[in-house]
Amino acid sequence: MGFGEAIRTVLTKKYATFSGRASRSEYWWFQLFFHSLLACYFLVSTVIAVTTWNTSIGLGILVIAFFLPQIALAVRRLHDRNLSGWWYLGFIIAWFVPYLNLLAIITLIVLFAFPGTKGLNRFGPDPLNPQSSAEVFA
């Protein structure tokens, strides 16, 4: 999955879809897009900070617009690793525990970096090769 296809998939086709699976390329391309968008926003907002325009409103709109797709994409990525989406809630809670937050962040990055399970798992077909796992029990 390419850069444009990953962004189009996450923002239009699966904006708030928590079921199914997401490939590594879909996850990491969207993360690159989102974080580069944040970096551009902060760069522009520091340049125009001397004006009267309130930059925190724009940041709030950006965060609200990308809140659901980020969570849905992370849950689908965990599904690709054959883990329940409830694990993501556990990692979010662990982020608020001192000293445990670093371990949670590292663990989550490692989970998202490893390849997903091959073929069909309990969350659906393989996003990279859906044809090979369509009729497993036929």
Side-chain angles (χ1 to χ4, degrees):
M1 178 175 289
F3 181 73
E5 186 181 353
I7 295 164
R8 199 171 23 261
T9 300
V10 173
L11 291 180
T12 60
K13 297 176 187 174
K14 298 180 180 180
Y15 185 82
T17 303
F18 292 88
S19 62
R21 295 166 62 175
S23 64
R24 280 188 297 177
S25 58
E26 180 182 348
Y27 179 80
W28 290 111
W29 280 125
F30 187 75
Q31 293 305 318
L32 176 68
F33 167 73
F34 177 68
H35 289 93
S36 62
L37 190 66
L38 280 179
C40 288
Y41 176 80
F42 282 118
L43 187 68
V44 168
S45 67
T46 55
V47 169
I48 62 171
V50 293
T51 65
T52 59
W53 185 66
N54 191 355
T55 58
S56 62
I57 293 172
L59 181 63
I61 291 171
L62 188 67
V63 167
I64 289 170
F66 283 93
F67 182 71
L68 272 177
Q70 284 282 359
I71 294 174
L73 181 62
V75 167
R76 287 196 316 270
R77 182 69 198 128
L78 285 173
H79 286 176
D80 194 38
R81 299 276 306 137
N82 207 14
L83 293 171
S84 172
W86 290 105
W87 280 95
Y88 192 62
L89 179 63
F91 286 114
I92 290 174
I93 292 170
W95 285 340
F96 294 106
V97 178
Y99 303 112
L100 189 58
N101 53 6
L102 182 62
L103 182 66
I105 290 170
I106 292 170
T107 305
L108 202 56
I109 289 172
V110 167
L111 279 175
F112 289 158
F114 280 137
T117 56
K118 300 281 187 205
L120 189 67
N121 71 8
R122 63 186 172 142
F123 299 104
D126 190 354
L128 297 178
N129 196 4
Q131 303 90 312
S132 67
S133 58
E135 295 293 327
V136 174
F137 299 107

